[in-house]
Amino acid sequence: MEKLPTVKCSQELWFALLISSALCIIFLSFDYSTFSGLNLLPNKKVDPIGVLNHAITDSSCFGRYVYMHDDLPEKFNSDLVRNCRFLTRGTDKPNLCMYFENYGFGPEIQNSEGVLSNRSWFSTNQFLLEFIFHNKMKRYKCLTNISSQASAVFVPFYAGLDASLHLWDSNLTVRDASAKELVSWLARKPEWAKLWGRDHFLVAGRISWDFRRQTDEVSDWGSKLRWLPESMNMTMLSVEGSSWNNDFAIPYPTNFHPAEEVDLVQWQNRMRKLDRPYLFTFAGAPRPDQQSSIRGKIIDQCVASSRCKLIDCSLGGNMDCDNPSSVMRVFQSSVYCLQPGGDSYTRRSTFDSILAGCIPVFFHPGAAYSQYLWHLPKNHSSYSVYIPVRVADDMPGSIEEILLGISKDKELSMREEVIRLIPNLSYADPRSRLETEDAFDLAIKGILERIEDVRKVIREGNDPSIGFADEDSYKYTFHQKQEQT
């Protein structure tokens, strides 16, 4: 009987060894891919470029994660691209199809007549901002498919492209159908309840006013997207913001989309060295049907001055304004580029001129100062000239006189600031990893700060809806003291 404890211990030892061996065999044959974080998330597609792994492991992304609704029905984005033949430019070009090439940058410009650099230049259409932004977001370093981890939620709805199909439709039900379907879909998602949409944002390649029809009159312009209760809780980024606090402007796409830092630096250096024989330039067409337009007076002053170069973009004008090389050649030859409003306050031409190192001249604060708050300096006089409309309208020759009165030192300082801004106003190739922040980077930074402000309000026990979507009647005026030259 004294032997029994020893026998029992031996049996337990052999049993333990057997179990350990079995576990080792299982462990060694296990498929480690199950620990990658991809297969643990139900109903999610494996991401081909590995952004999901970044979201899980990169500590630099804390506070910068963005969740994208990649399960959004394709009728709201991909179907619009597939049916691009129905998306028109409003010009003699048949449709927008060619401009979806190269991530939405359009066809690469092959022969720029020595005006543009050899790389990074494309025929980009301004209405494709939402498509460009979506492609950039797909490669955003801090994209996550864990919505609880995200600081912001991106809705890849091609609002501008969708709206362009129905803006002239007399049937308001048809005009508003997509907007209503979109917000209904979003409101049913679990991500919505987190902040009731106040952490959601979308991007449009049209001005915000196209989505703010306030009446049910057929003659009233646009859709009602931004007046739907759910949409009012979201933030829209577009090429021109409205006077409501939940609309923000980000730069129009230009033709320059650098892939490497050297492309940026070489272009900036080239703009510094150019001779600029013209004092000022205006590129555009008159607006005789708009009584408040100052364009007619500006054209008259330009024609009357030997120091001004007019790029007449009207039908039968003196230049093909769809040709980037032709327009950029003149901008590169000019010290100042006049930027009056057209169909709306803002213009893509503003960003084209800055790209050429040409100092913009504005006639209304809504043209830039109250718009691109995340992308342009607060000190407006550091990079631009402001001439009030009443001055240019009432005093013949006033534009030339004012510009001649600016000192050479001030001119050089403004041009250097303009050239410094070029990277921040360009949308870089999505595959690039530029050291310098581009327009996309600054937009993401801005939206994250806005949403963090909302969370701060909640933490302090206050109502986040107060002021979130209110109208700011002073948004298009100099309601704060501005430092002007």
Side-chain angles (χ1 to χ4, degrees):
M1 296 293 292
E2 290 91 11
K3 300 285 186 180
L4 283 176
T6 303
V7 172
K8 184 177 180 180
C9 288
S10 298
Q11 289 175 339
E12 290 177 349
L13 179 60
W14 281 108
F15 182 74
L17 290 172
L18 181 63
I19 294 298
S20 298
S21 299
L23 289 173
C24 286
I25 293 172
I26 293 173
F27 184 73
L28 291 172
S29 61
F30 199 86
D31 182 2
Y32 287 94
S33 66
T34 58
F35 287 111
S36 67
L38 300 179
N39 298 329
L40 300 177
L41 303 171
N43 302 319
K44 291 295 178 183
K45 299 177 181 178
V46 174
D47 185 77
I49 57 174
V51 293
L52 302 182
N53 282 333
H54 279 302
I56 291 171
T57 63
D58 196 337
S59 60
S60 68
C61 287
F62 293 143
R64 299 169 54 208
Y65 290 122
V66 175
Y67 175 82
M68 180 168 64
H69 275 301
D70 56 6
D71 57 340
L72 189 70
E74 292 186 349
K75 66 173 295 182
F76 295 115
N77 45 45
S78 299
D79 284 352
L80 292 165
V81 179
R82 279 191 285 269
N83 295 307
C84 60
R85 65 188 182 280
F86 299 114
L87 301 170
T88 61
R89 291 188 58 204
T91 67
D92 57 339
K93 299 291 191 302
N95 54 53
L96 290 177
C97 289
M98 62 181 281
Y99 297 101
F100 286 98
E101 298 177 17
N102 298 310
Y103 306 100
F105 296 155
E108 189 171 358
I109 298 175
Q110 299 294 338
N111 181 16
S112 65
E113 304 168 10
V115 177
L116 311 177
S117 52
N118 295 328
R119 302 187 305 174
S120 305
W121 289 87
F122 302 81
S123 296
T124 304
N125 186 277
Q126 67 184 50
F127 293 120
L128 263 63
L129 174 61
E130 55 224 50
F131 184 69
I132 293 170
F133 201 97
H134 188 191
N135 281 314
K136 294 274 288 180
M137 181 60 75
K138 289 176 182 177
R139 298 192 177 222
Y140 174 55
K141 177 184 178 182
C142 299
L143 189 66
T144 177
N145 67 345
I146 305 173
S147 61
S148 61
Q149 188 182 44
S151 296
V153 178
F154 175 55
V155 182
F157 172 44
Y158 298 165
L161 298 178
D162 176 80
S164 67
L165 294 172
H166 310 294
L167 280 173
W168 293 269
D169 201 310
S170 59
N171 187 327
L172 296 183
T173 301
V174 172
R175 212 190 292 181
D176 297 334
S178 293
K180 291 181 177 179
E181 288 181 44
L182 173 78
V183 298
S184 177
W185 185 89
L186 288 171
R188 294 194 301 269
K189 302 294 289 183
E191 292 78 19
W192 185 263
K194 189 175 178 181
L195 286 177
W196 301 107
R198 292 187 183 90
D199 55 352
H200 285 49
F201 72 101
L202 64 160
V203 178
R206 301 186 69 93
I207 64 174
S208 294
W209 301 101
D210 288 346
F211 310 97
R212 286 194 173 275
R213 192 186 77 249
Q214 298 192 46
T215 74
D216 286 329
E217 296 293 329
V218 174
S219 59
D220 201 357
W221 178 256
S223 78
K224 265 194 170 179
L225 170 63
R226 300 298 284 138
W227 289 113
L228 300 176
E230 297 87 352
S231 180
M232 291 177 70
N233 282 4
M234 294 191 287
T235 300
M236 172 179 276
L237 311 182
S238 61
V239 293
E240 178 178 321
S242 69
S243 56
W244 278 266
N245 291 334
N246 57 344
D247 287 339
F248 287 81
I250 60 177
Y252 284 82
T254 64
N255 300 105
F256 185 52
H257 307 286
E260 298 180 15
E261 201 77 23
V262 65
D263 299 330
L264 275 172
V265 175
Q266 287 179 350
W267 180 257
Q268 288 174 297
N269 288 336
R270 183 175 173 181
M271 293 307 100
R272 290 186 178 99
K273 299 174 182 177
L274 292 174
D275 291 328
R276 298 180 183 269
Y278 300 112
L279 177 65
F280 61 114
T281 285
F282 173 63
R287 293 289 192 274
D289 55 331
Q290 297 179 13
Q291 294 183 354
S292 60
S293 176
I294 195 179
R295 286 193 173 200
K297 295 290 181 67
I298 286 177
I299 290 173
D300 290 344
Q301 291 197 37
C302 184
V303 170
S305 171
S306 60
R307 295 183 173 93
C308 183
K309 175 66 175 178
L310 176 65
I311 304 176
D312 185 0
C313 296
S314 62
L315 189 64
N318 63 1
M319 188 171 292
D320 177 11
C321 292
D322 265 353
N323 185 332
S325 299
S326 300
V327 175
M328 290 296 286
R329 179 187 287 107
V330 179
F331 284 173
Q332 290 172 14
S333 303
S334 306
V335 177
Y336 300 98
C337 287
L338 310 185
Q339 303 297 347
D343 296 326
S344 65
Y345 290 112
T346 64
R347 307 180 72 203
R348 169 175 163 164
S349 176
T350 295
F351 300 97
D352 289 334
S353 66
I354 290 175
L355 192 57
C358 188
I359 302 164
V361 179
F362 299 116
F363 301 86
H364 192 284
Y369 304 150
S370 61
Q371 294 287 343
Y372 309 101
L373 306 180
W374 301 334
H375 294 79
L376 293 176
K378 292 181 180 179
N379 181 5
H380 308 141
S381 65
S382 69
Y383 71 95
S384 68
V385 176
Y386 178 66
I387 301 176
V389 169
R390 65 182 182 277
V391 173
D393 195 22
D394 296 341
M395 299 172 59
S398 58
I399 295 175
E400 181 176 353
E401 183 180 346
I402 290 171
L403 297 180
L404 283 173
I406 299 173
S407 70
K408 191 67 177 178
D409 286 344
K410 178 61 177 175
E411 172 197 318
L412 293 174
S413 173
M414 285 191 289
R415 181 179 304 122
E416 183 57 33
E417 181 67 5
V418 163
I419 293 172
R420 186 192 67 79
L421 287 172
I422 290 174
N424 299 153
L425 304 180
S426 304
Y427 293 92
D429 188 310
R431 297 164 298 183
S432 70
R433 280 286 185 263
L434 298 182
E435 297 175 11
T436 309
E437 291 178 313
D438 75 345
F440 172 86
D441 295 324
L442 293 178
I444 293 297
K445 181 184 291 186
I447 197 70
L448 289 172
E449 290 176 355
R450 170 171 166 78
I451 295 170
E452 178 54 31
D453 287 343
V454 171
R455 290 194 172 92
K456 181 180 178 182
V457 169
I458 294 173
R459 287 195 298 267
E460 294 172 349
N462 297 317
D463 185 353
S465 67
I466 297 176
F468 184 88
D470 289 359
E471 183 178 14
D472 182 358
S473 57
Y474 294 100
K475 193 171 180 180
Y476 290 100
T477 63
F478 285 123
H479 59 288
Q480 295 180 347
K481 184 178 180 181
Q482 305 293 342
E483 186 180 344
Q484 295 295 328
T485 298

